[in-house]
Amino acid sequence: MKVMAAPPETAILQVDDLSVCFETSRGSVQAVSGVSFAMAKGEVYALVGESGCGKSTTALAVMRLVPPPGRIRRGHIRLGDEDLLALSDEAMADVRGRRLAMIFQNPLVSLNPVYRAGSQIEEAISLDSVPRPVAWRRAIEVLGRVRIGDPAERALRYPHELSGGMRQRVMTGMMISRTPDLLIADEPTTALDVTIQARILDLLMDLCSHSGMALLIITHDLGIVAEIADRVGVMYAGSLVEQAPVYELYEDPLHPYTRMLMRALPRLGKGQGRLETIPGSVPDLIALPAGCAFHPRCPERLAICASQTPVSRVVGGGRTVACHRGEVDR
Amino acid sequence: MPMATAPQAPPSWPLVRLDSARKYFPIRGGLFGHSARYVRAVNNVSMTIERGETFGLVGESGSGKTTLARLIPGLLRPSGGRVLYDGRDIARTHGGELNRLRRRMGIVFQDPASSLNPRSPVRASIRRPLDLQGVRGREAERRVLETIDRVNLGREVLDRYPHQLSGGQQQRASIARAIILNPELVILDEPTSALDVSIQAQILNLLQSLQEQIRLTYLFITHNLSIVRYMSDRIGVMYLGKLVEVAPAEALHDRPFHPYTAALLSASPPLNPRLRDRKRYRLEGDPPSLISPPPGCGLHPRCPFAVEVCSERTPPLVEAAARRLVACHRWEELTLKVGPGA
Amino acid sequence: MASTGGTRPPRRSPMRVWPLVRVALGNGQLVVGAILLLVVLLIAVFAESLAPRAYDAMDLTNRLRAPGPGMLLGTDQFGRDTLSRIIYGSRIALRVGLIVVVIEGVLGVSLGLLAGYYGGLADRMISFLTDITWALPPIVLALAIVTVLGPGLNNVMIAIALVSWAGYARLIRSKAQGLKNMPFVEAARALGESDLSIMFRYILPNTFGLIVVVASLSLPGAILSTTALSFLGLGSQPPAPDWGVILSEGIRFLYDAPFLSIFPGLALVWTVLGFTLLGEGLRDILDPRMKA
């Protein structure tokens, strides 16, 4: 268990003050505002939040794949000692796949339907100028590593001949085949059944603990976070409102939004109390409220919350929180 | 007028009863569109839904839960067995009589964005059931307003089109349409799985208070075990077109009898990182095809407890304890336990 | 993917007219097409005031005159003013296009709707008919139908409609197949709506965008085909100022008076181009997935 925020010199990924906006005809959508976090080697870091909170955009920004009209307005992203935002497009393309890889929610559309599962992995491996026969052998090895039974036979199948869970494992295999430093998984199990999800999560955790690969998992599901993450960042309306090691976050959430989100989840049986709900709705990212973006929905708001944006501050134990309340209380 | 008011003394039979209900979908193939092969989506299911309860139906994709839900209002006709609503066989009911039965049920679907006609203002969609009943004018308007108040929807949404509403508002509008005729039964097919956590909580709370206020019976279909536990009195677990276990919600969570239930429960993340290392019942491989399900118990190729008999005979759904049914050859020998302290 | 999708702007206007107009103005094809057609439409409406002479006024002293002052586009072998004939001809072109599109649209949409909604035997029969119609060369089939019905503009319009409804039927069928499994249609069935009501209240309105696109894309074809049949002498009969008739009469004097064929040809190109651009523009806006 890692408790401390990774210090810069050992960090594999370091995101500083990242801001991404989308210029639309209605105005500028502030999708990510001033997000900073760091990940250590082998760490599983979860970015969690509801739809529109900016978690996926943050991941795409790390890949430098933010789709137009989006663009990275501010910030730094470092992978090891490489400044990703300073790289040329060719250099970035080389980093992608080799040091940085990403799996998506829907593995059917992420795999090329006209190539066999094994060929797609072979293709990825041969990018490192590995001769084809060797690459094919390694592709089969990789399929075994992502726990696909009978890998030599399955390597010959086309994506549509595989089940959803198997496709996601092929995708994962393809992404880890070149042993990246960091794997980004955007809602990797949302389209899958729970028993299959459990297997994918087990697999991802094992890959991290055995290979030292770091995993950035993007999810809306606090159950998945509890199951797999070492540290967690909670996002709301484009900002990282709280960061903590997973145990601390679940036992003592500091930000009012995190607390309310946790209580909105059903844990008990019928007739054992109502769920807590968060009043109001997610703000329009074009016209964010002044001060703390959560203040209009926050039952604990102070006068200052409507005027001043809270700054993320370290509260010890590797935790950060962006809330004015804590400034007085703690 | 056949209004859906509950009779004074409720009859002794259950509101919904399935007797060996089957739904096979033929697979078109061959030159002449003949088909010898079928997808056995619902395969010999017998169950009841009692008045006033919430019956939760869980299962993974392909388990047949959604097909089963469509058999009850007659959206699909059973290929065999019987589906009885208030004692009447849906398959033998037609035309006006079927419509009268259907008006006693409401249905809410998973995807709120496509549950309302995109070309109609919300008011028209909510009001349509009344039009079909011949309720018009002021009376209809009064009931529309009463119903949207019930589901906590603001009046300003009535003149908007579905795409102008948020997901939560769309789902409230769907619920309003489902309850405007005061039905007895509401079928909820994954009503919150497309919604964010905070919106999901609002909708689940709304459904519970509606049930208390107007004494609804729910068939709640979901793949999410914490939601089904929060919502249900009894839970049925489906696997490969069959009902493998039925039990009161708490009992099912405390001590599942069927290995599949145990696997499902232990695979569901428990919202507590300290339970990461809990005992897990893992299933081998992937679910088999519904076209050629394995002989015997459908779970046996994946079940960690399978023995020879499991591949030979299909276990019947038997009464294992009070209010508990299970379809497993070995349930008596197994002691399955999931969750803290396991 | 990008999580901006979750931010739903609180739109106020109940109908989406203004944004649609703004999008339309941003689409170059649509704007150019609309301008071309507006010109044709104005000419057709104000033909009486615009045309210097009646379309059938002969002047035997001025036969086959080249374009010049007084008769801007020249005269034909009976001394009729070509400009006037082309101006009046625009009425025929527009009317023919619209009538054909309405007939083939009603036919194609109804059959497509029935096939897509009911499926089964109805679908197999209608699809068979559609495929046959689709497979036969349209002009040849139209010629055959006109031969049976006898020449005349009305029969030509019927013939063109009969050979070109299949495109509508195919598209509407697949759209209806998709729509009938949508939850809002299932909900309607669960409410006890009749099949007819489901088709007309729930499915048809959701195909309007598609119908508009298909109709505007098939208008130029309809105009071209009727002109072609008139050119062959099967459609409008002289002295009607049908562009096809003018063309076919002019073709005999192609060497001496090429302007007789060129100007009606240009009018045809102008109109067809207008409808094509408009149709493609509408397709981009209303149904972007149709774009190949």
Side-chain angles (χ1 to χ4, degrees), chain C residues 92 96 152-154 156 226 229-231 233-238 240-242 245:
Chain C
I92 300 182
V96 159
L153 188 58
N154 287 344
V156 163
T226 36
L229 290 180
S230 290
F231 178 84
L234 295 169
S236 302
Q237 299 300 317
D242 190 304
V245 173

Side-chain angles (χ1 to χ4, degrees), chain B residues 75-134:
Chain B
L75 287 172
L76 293 172
R77 298 263 156 170
S79 325
R82 293 196 304 165
V83 178
L84 305 170
Y85 186 84
D86 198 11
R88 268 187 290 177
D89 190 338
I90 289 279
R92 289 167 188 231
T93 321
H94 298 278
E97 206 192 341
L98 178 62
N99 282 340
R100 274 194 295 282
L101 277 187
R102 279 174 173 174
R103 277 163 206 164
R104 295 164 62 185
M105 316 172 204
I107 183 160
V108 176
F109 295 96
Q110 171 173 6
D111 179 14
S114 55
S115 295
L116 302 164
N117 188 348
R119 294 281 168 172
S120 294
V122 171
R123 170 183 276 113
S125 286
I126 296 179
R127 192 176 151 145
R128 187 64 191 155
L130 295 172
D131 295 349
L132 290 170
Q133 287 278 66

